Amino acid sequence: MEWISGVAGGLVLILVLRSILRTLVVPRGLYSVLVYRLWSTLRRVLCLLAHRGGYRAIDRAQTWLAPLMLVGMLAAWLGGAFLGFGMLLYAFSPLSWSTAFREAGSSLFTLGFASGARLRLSALDFLAAATGPVVIALQIAYLPTLYAAYNRRELEVTLLQSRAGEPAWGPEILARQWLVDTETALPELYRAWERLAADMGESHATYPVLLAFRSPRPYRSWLVGLIAVMDAAAMQLALAPGSAPPAARLVLRAGFTSLRDIAASVRATFEADPAPDAPIHLTYAEFEAAVAMLERTGFRAERSTAEAWPHFHGWRVNYESVAYELCRRCDAVPALWTGPRDFPSEPIPPRRPVDRRPGEGRPEVPPAHG
């Protein structure tokens, strides 16, 4: 019985150490079973608690997902260490189960009141005493990294609100620029989101818990914002390839590369190299309605809608499926052109400010079902 306890305790400690290193220390996107299981389980529980309340209830519930994951990770690591050291102490001493675990807890949490006063257990006691503070210190050091990445992300998402509305939508980005004659600012927007996409691809793949951090406002989402910027770039390249800035191609490439890196870190399935004519969920009718709205703002297309559709389709096929899957898993705001959710919802069009200028005013966005 003792040797089984010793082997099992050693394996538990190895698994705990492996999980800590993969999650907090190794600077690359390694899959962590603990993080994924916590995310999946807590997300389902929170969704069930708010399932009947619509998207706003889902958003309020999911706000607790990230802090619960952080607390759950720390509790799982400390609990695993407690179990492992307790089993090792039982295996290497005549202590009873209750006394072994009492000594393990005393050493792990550096309480120091339950020492067995046996020399051969001192090494295990000292190792347990070092493990508790080290795990807690690593978790504390982990938080500034997470919140720094979160702040960088949310700064650009907040800046996008005035250009894309809430929730963000690709055609709305283009429409607003032509409505107020700021289309020359689009290259700067694409460059900013190219850098942000690269940043998110690195940070969110390395620390998947960032996927659970929601924006401060319910209708904002980093994922929906990235899809909107990519859709805007794809539409501009498809409709007006001669005047579209080179930065539009760069943000598309950076965007779908980032989404694939993040999806791979959470083991979401996607086609790595889809054919340009592979089917997509977005319909030609939806694209046509968006182009018609865009043309009413003064946007001058160099191609007809029918001619532009294959080009837009060829761009969107690179990121649509992986973007839809991540939106579903993250319970992102159900914006236009972002796919279905696991909760009952209708696509929400962006809210556009009231036009106070004299005249006919601005053209309206398509209805939610368009």
Side-chain angles (χ1 to χ4, degrees):
M1 185 64 180
E2 286 78 6
W3 72 268
I4 295 177
S5 175
V7 171
L11 287 176
V12 169
L13 288 177
I14 290 172
L15 290 175
V16 169
L17 178 61
R18 183 173 180 269
S19 178
I20 293 172
L21 292 176
R22 291 173 72 90
T23 305
L24 303 181
V25 180
V26 180
R28 64 182 305 171
L30 297 178
Y31 180 80
S32 173
V33 175
L34 174 62
V35 173
Y36 180 77
R37 294 301 180 192
L38 273 174
W39 181 21
S40 177
T41 302
L42 291 172
R43 172 179 167 260
R44 289 180 182 178
V45 171
L46 292 171
C47 280
L48 285 174
L49 293 175
H51 194 71
R52 296 179 179 272
Y55 169 68
R56 280 189 169 272
I58 292 287
D59 179 72
R60 285 193 299 270
Q62 293 296 331
T63 301
W64 293 97
L65 179 58
L68 287 175
M69 284 181 63
L70 293 173
V71 172
M73 288 159 53
L74 181 59
W77 289 327
L78 291 176
F82 172 67
L83 177 63
F85 282 115
M87 297 175 79
L88 286 176
L89 286 169
Y90 175 78
F92 288 97
S93 74
L95 299 177
S96 65
W97 280 107
S98 59
T99 306
F101 278 101
R102 183 169 178 264
E103 183 159 334
S106 171
S107 299
L108 184 65
F109 298 104
T110 64
L111 301 176
F113 64 80
S115 173
R118 281 171 290 275
L119 183 61
R120 60 178 174 173
L121 297 184
S122 295
L124 286 174
D125 286 333
F126 290 156
L127 186 58
T131 300
V134 167
V135 171
I136 295 172
L138 285 174
Q139 181 81 328
I140 293 173
Y142 182 57
L143 293 179
T145 302
L146 294 182
Y147 282 100
Y150 175 80
N151 289 336
R152 291 194 303 271
R153 185 188 83 186
E154 292 305 315
L155 173 62
E156 293 298 335
V157 173
T158 302
L159 289 173
L160 185 66
Q161 185 271 336
S162 62
R163 301 171 184 247
E166 289 185 0
W169 183 43
E172 178 73 2
I173 294 177
L174 298 178
R176 290 197 182 195
Q177 308 317 304
W178 264 264
L179 280 169
V180 295
D181 300 321
T182 56
E183 61 270 18
T184 55
L186 281 170
E188 181 184 354
L189 174 69
Y190 294 150
R191 284 192 289 269
W193 276 82
E194 179 194 0
R195 294 187 63 86
L196 180 63
D199 187 343
M200 291 190 299
E202 185 275 331
S203 60
H204 290 52
T206 304
Y207 307 113
V209 71
L210 281 167
L211 297 174
F213 280 79
R214 303 182 73 83
S215 294
R217 295 183 58 168
Y219 292 110
R220 291 180 189 168
S221 166
W222 66 272
L223 189 51
V224 169
L226 179 57
I227 296 169
V229 172
M230 295 171 71
D231 281 339
M235 285 192 74
Q236 192 172 9
L237 287 167
L239 290 166
S243 58
R249 291 179 178 271
L250 298 177
V251 74
L252 279 164
R253 180 69 186 181
F256 67 71
T257 300
S258 171
L259 291 176
R260 290 174 183 178
D261 288 344
I262 296 170
S265 71
V266 296
R267 294 190 178 177
T269 57
F270 59 92
E271 178 60 49
D273 187 21
D277 57 350
I280 62 174
H281 291 87
L282 189 73
T283 65
Y284 176 74
E286 291 175 300
F287 178 73
E288 186 178 35
V291 173
M293 180 274 293
L294 187 57
E295 289 178 339
R296 292 197 298 272
T297 67
F299 180 88
R300 290 186 175 86
E302 299 165 12
R303 291 178 175 143
S304 68
T305 305
E307 292 172 333
W309 170 248
H311 297 274
F312 178 78
H313 180 286
W315 281 113
R316 202 168 207 266
V317 76
N318 289 293
Y319 60 88
E320 186 191 75
S321 62
V322 65
Y324 279 18
E325 175 63 13
L326 289 175
C327 280
R328 183 190 68 80
R329 293 194 184 196
C330 294
D331 297 304
V333 53
L336 296 171
W337 295 14
T338 60
R341 302 293 185 270
D342 287 340
F343 53 89
S345 63
E346 289 291 331
I348 303 172
R351 292 175 291 181
R352 185 176 289 176
V354 177
D355 189 355
R356 301 298 183 185
R357 297 178 302 178
E360 297 182 358
R362 300 184 176 113
E364 295 299 325
V365 300
H369 63 271

